[in-house]
Amino acid sequence: MISVAIDGPAGAGKSTVARKVAAKKGYIYVDTGALYRTVAYSAYINGVSFDDNEKIVAHLDGINVDIAYRGDEQRVLLNGEDVSDSIRTPIMSEGASKVSAIPEVRAFLLGLQRKLAAEHNVVMDGRDIATVVLPDATVKIFLTASAELRARRRYDELIAKGQTVEYEDIYNDLLKRDHRDSTREVAPLKPAEDSVLVDTSELNFEEAVNAVCIVIDKTVG
């Protein structure tokens, strides 16, 4: 099986780029960030604080997180219910960043991620795919962009969905998340030693997709 691991900071365009790359290559797309958002969402709707690690861990016993596909679109299921749209909010972004720093949460989701890669050709994106989840991935890419551009992309995305947000809030939250993700003790955000850096700061969407495809083609053929 061919596995493409794409890591990078929040707002770098990993999900949109990875989804299009997977479609072009005929691979399965796995958005691992959505899995952490789902854990955070379950905690949130059950009144569990994102900062209460002990209760978050205890909460895992009562939930099942799974992935289903509608055509080539990934849908995330929480105890059988499709929560793919509910998890796409700034609050869930914050929650995902916090719960993903908990070792037990990462272990809880690791098996599902590796199972998908063992059974399918995949493009999988996240924070530690090349370093922890799939250390033997066929292709490893670290996708990034400037903080200002990443914040602008996230702002435009949320505005397009009808949410009321301020750019400065998005930018400041992104900087905080960058710091938290890169300095956490468990699986910090960092490029794998053999990752190929793809900076999309000066690239439009199609150019970013093509840049990633070129990296894959050089390895896979």
Side-chain angles (χ1 to χ4, degrees):
M1 291 297 163
I2 297 170
S3 54
V4 179
I6 301 180
D7 293 314
K14 298 186 302 297
S15 296
T16 51
V17 169
R19 184 181 293 109
K20 184 62 178 290
V21 168
K24 292 185 71 170
K25 294 296 182 183
Y27 299 169
I28 291 294
Y29 166 60
V30 182
D31 173 9
T32 63
L35 304 179
Y36 290 100
R37 285 172 178 264
T38 301
V39 172
Y41 177 73
S42 181
Y44 180 77
I45 61 176
N46 285 281
V48 178
S49 169
F50 298 146
D51 297 312
D52 193 332
N53 289 13
E54 185 175 337
K55 286 187 177 180
I56 292 287
V57 172
H59 185 68
L60 296 175
D61 289 337
I63 66 175
N64 178 69
V65 178
D66 204 355
I67 289 177
Y69 289 90
R70 184 184 300 162
D72 61 356
E73 181 185 9
Q74 174 184 295
R75 308 299 291 179
V76 189
L77 308 180
L78 172 62
N79 294 336
E81 179 186 353
D82 188 337
V83 297
S84 305
D85 297 326
S86 301
I87 62 175
R88 297 297 175 182
T89 66
I91 293 176
M92 292 308 112
S93 294
E94 176 78 5
S97 182
K98 289 186 175 181
V99 303
S100 66
I102 303 173
E104 291 86 351
V105 173
R106 304 198 74 82
F108 175 73
L109 296 173
L110 183 60
L112 172 60
Q113 296 170 68
R114 287 181 172 170
K115 179 175 182 291
L116 290 167
E119 296 176 349
H120 307 277
N121 293 330
V122 299
V123 178
M124 188 178 296
D125 74 283
R127 300 290 190 278
D128 65 340
I129 307 305
T131 54
V132 177
V133 179
L134 302 177
D136 297 320
T138 315
V139 182
K140 300 178 182 180
I141 294 171
F142 194 84
L143 194 74
T144 190
S146 69
E148 292 81 6
L149 182 58
R150 289 187 284 123
R152 175 58 60 182
R153 288 172 176 170
R154 182 58 56 84
Y155 172 81
D156 291 342
E157 175 187 354
L158 295 174
I159 290 295
K161 292 180 178 180
Q163 297 185 29
T164 302
V165 293
E166 297 292 335
Y167 169 79
E168 289 299 324
D169 292 338
I170 297 295
Y171 178 72
N172 290 331
D173 287 345
L174 184 145
L175 293 182
K176 291 178 183 177
R177 186 170 183 183
D178 282 353
H179 177 74
R180 183 165 56 243
D181 289 348
S182 61
T183 59
R184 68 190 182 201
E185 293 185 9
V186 179
L189 168 67
K190 63 179 181 178
E193 291 185 0
D194 50 348
S195 284
V196 177
L197 178 67
V198 176
D199 190 323
T200 66
S201 297
E202 303 298 326
L203 305 179
N204 62 32
F205 175 67
E206 289 300 331
E207 290 170 338
V209 170
N210 289 336
V212 170
C213 286
I214 287 171
V215 175
I216 295 172
D217 291 342
K218 285 181 177 179
T219 303
V220 177

